[in-house]
Amino acid sequence: MNHPSKICVSCGRTIEWRKRWARDWEQVRYCSDACRSVKVKPSDGELERAILELLRERGAEKTICPSEAARRVAPDNWEPLMQQARAAARRLAAAGEIVVMQGGQRVDPSRAKGPIRLKKV
């Protein structure tokens, strides 16, 4: 049986259907207890806007690193924002606004490990 999947509103990863969620599938919004406790913060919106601004400034067919968005949001303390920047990229990819690239190829943002690049659709 082919079950639907969803995108976690916090981290942007794909949530696969689970039998134990069958009755509550419509209410499932988070992939884990950790994401449920973290939720989306104002800085997440800032990171999403920074990603889109950087891609717009860079031009068509150009890519950026999520660290560039983190540096734009917090120039003096950007490193703690890296996981949030990757999550913002996954949410934007799920919304169809950007694609996540790795080694010059489009990849599933939920499964990408290591360095990634972001590109406007």
Side-chain angles (χ1 to χ4, degrees):
M1 180 181 259
N2 190 9
H3 293 287
S5 60
K6 295 181 177 186
I7 301 299
C8 176
V9 297
S10 179
C11 71
R13 287 189 174 94
T14 303
I15 305 171
E16 299 297 334
W17 185 88
R18 296 178 187 163
K19 186 176 180 178
R20 70 174 187 234
W21 290 341
R23 288 181 298 164
D24 303 322
W25 183 243
E26 294 303 314
Q27 287 75 39
V28 173
R29 298 183 64 219
Y30 301 99
C31 66
S32 65
D33 289 336
C35 282
R36 186 178 299 106
S37 66
V38 172
K39 298 196 172 37
V40 178
K41 302 176 190 137
S43 60
D44 293 317
E46 290 179 51
L47 286 164
E48 289 177 15
R49 285 188 295 281
I51 289 169
L52 294 173
E53 284 174 14
L54 285 163
L55 287 169
R56 192 170 28 258
E57 291 168 6
R58 193 70 47 96
E61 299 302 314
K62 301 292 183 180
T63 63
I64 64 163
C65 179
S67 66
E68 294 176 63
R71 285 183 178 108
R72 180 163 286 192
V73 171
D76 297 327
N77 194 24
W78 61 272
E79 289 169 327
L81 291 179
M82 280 305 299
Q83 289 305 318
Q84 282 180 265
R86 288 177 70 102
R90 285 190 297 268
R91 286 191 301 274
L92 289 170
E97 296 189 51
I98 66 168
V99 293
V100 176
M101 310 288 289
Q102 197 168 44
Q105 302 295 316
R106 187 177 187 160
V107 295
D108 178 358
S110 293
R111 292 175 174 73
K113 304 262 190 244
I116 59 173
R117 302 289 294 177
L118 311 176
K119 183 178 174 183
K120 189 78 173 139
V121 175

